């Protein structure tokens, strides 16, 4: 089996920079073998429009590279791409390296979902203490099962957000201290908009769009009233109330057109330091914004951080 082409745009520490070594992955997780076929270029690949194939690839990646022996998600829940999720974690580590922070890191993942992927990667790659938060009880039950099945109780825990309208309120408890928060916000304003986005993905894969959201994702994972802009505005507003309980607040910003709004809101919130970190995964460009209300002493500035 030949691996797919490399993804050199990924973070230098990303274990997936050289593409997928399908021979290695099949050896780690034999259930992947039936889905591996040569693509149009003669490289081994899978059908990325096949939900079970994508989920099985994730199982193999998590087992081979992160020591996660057991991983599964309920039907129709979000099945995230592992390389891109890992990139966010590695760039967060750069943010801390710039301050000389490498121990006792506590990470809060807002909207961890049933997949729990960010805490799994962060805990296994860097030994961070992670808390995954979600409003979905079913998602959290699955996440808890993953924690227990992999013996990760010392590193990862989950907590339910009791207020669907809140982000940090109700989950950052009095007296708690966090090094980082991270979030992949819902970026559609309605179910119809989410459906249209899914259909574009199918067309990009050269497939006829089905009626269902076959790329996975519950409504709360994909949709927020007002879309990404409204979610980010609420997040920034709430972060002010926990300014002394968290060093860095961070969030992905899917739509570059929302960056000016984010910067205006952070200025109004009086964040002391704001950083925009650009990431690239193949043809896709993404970024996250990080802000803090605390005085930051920088030891060295990683070249990846703008």
């Amino acid at each position: 089996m030949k691996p797919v082409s490399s993804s050199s745009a990924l973070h230098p520490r990303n274990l997936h920079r050289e593409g997928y070594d399908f021979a290695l992955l099949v050896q780690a997780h034999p259930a992947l073998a039936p889905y591996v076929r040569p693509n149009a270029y003669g490289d081994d690949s899978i059908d990325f429009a096949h939900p079970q194939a994508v989920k099985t690839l994730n199982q193999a990646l998590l087992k081979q590279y992160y020591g996660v022996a057991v991983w599964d998600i309920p039907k129709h829940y979000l099945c995230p791409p592992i390389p891109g999720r890992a990139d966010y974690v590695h760039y967060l580590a750069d943010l801390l390296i710039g301050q000389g922070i490498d121990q006792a890191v506590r990470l809060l993942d807002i909207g961890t979902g049933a997949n729990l992927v960010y805490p799994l990667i962060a805990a296994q790659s860097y030994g961070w203490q992670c808390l995954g938060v979600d409003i979905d009880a079913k998602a959290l039950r699955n996440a808890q099962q993953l924690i227990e099945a992999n013996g990760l109780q010392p590193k990862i825990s989950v907590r339910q957000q009791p207020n669907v309208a809140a982000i940090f309120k109700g989950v950052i408890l009095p007296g708690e201290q966090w090094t980082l928060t991270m979030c992949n916000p819902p970026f559609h304003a309605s179910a119809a908009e989410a459906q249209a986005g899914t259909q574009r993905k199918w067309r990009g894969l050269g497939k006829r769009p089905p009626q269902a959201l076959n790329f996975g994702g519950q409504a709360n994972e994909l949709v927020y009233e007002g879309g990404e802009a409204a979610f980010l505005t609420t997040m920034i507003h709430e972060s002010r109330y926990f300014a002394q309980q968290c060093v860095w607040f961070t969030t992905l910003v899917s739509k570059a057109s929302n960056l000016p709004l984010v910067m205006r809101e952070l200025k109004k919130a009086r964040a002391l330091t704001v950083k925009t970190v650009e990431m690239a995964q193949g043809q896709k460009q993404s970024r996250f914004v990080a802000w803090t209300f605390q005085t930051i002493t920088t030891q060295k500035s990683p070249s990846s951080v703008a």
Side-chain angles (χ1 to χ4, degrees), residues 150-265:
N150 292 286
L152 293 171
Q153 295 94 324
K155 294 182 179 179
I156 306 174
S157 58
V158 294
R159 182 178 295 169
Q160 186 167 6
Q161 167 57 267
N163 182 352
V164 297
I167 296 176
F168 298 122
K169 293 179 179 179
V171 292
I172 296 182
L173 305 181
E176 287 186 337
Q177 294 293 322
W178 297 96
T179 317
L180 295 160
T181 73
M182 69 186 306
C183 183
N184 183 13
F187 45 84
H188 295 302
S190 67
E193 185 179 303
Q195 180 69 36
T198 295
Q199 290 177 339
R200 285 193 297 272
K201 288 182 182 180
W202 277 94
R203 286 192 291 271
L205 290 169
K207 305 288 184 178
R208 182 177 179 178
Q211 294 301 310
L213 287 169
N214 282 11
F215 277 88
Q218 297 296 293
N220 60 280
E221 294 178 300
L222 302 173
V223 178
Y224 185 84
E225 185 176 356
E228 182 181 66
F231 187 94
L232 295 174
T233 299
T234 299
M235 173 178 278
I236 292 167
H237 176 77
E238 284 194 19
S239 69
R240 297 179 305 162
Y241 298 99
F242 303 95
Q244 300 309 311
Q245 288 185 256
C246 181
V247 181
W248 285 105
F249 297 91
T250 81
T251 181
L252 290 174
V253 180
S254 175
K255 300 177 181 179
S257 59
N258 284 331
L259 283 173
L261 167 70
V262 168
M263 296 305 159
R264 287 196 302 271
E265 292 300 318

Side-chain angles (χ1 to χ4, degrees), residues 116 119-120 123 128-132 147 152-158:
L116 196 68
L120 290 172
W128 295 350
Q129 193 77 32
C130 303
L131 174 66
I147 294 167
L152 293 171
Q153 295 94 324
K155 294 182 179 179
I156 306 174
S157 58
V158 294

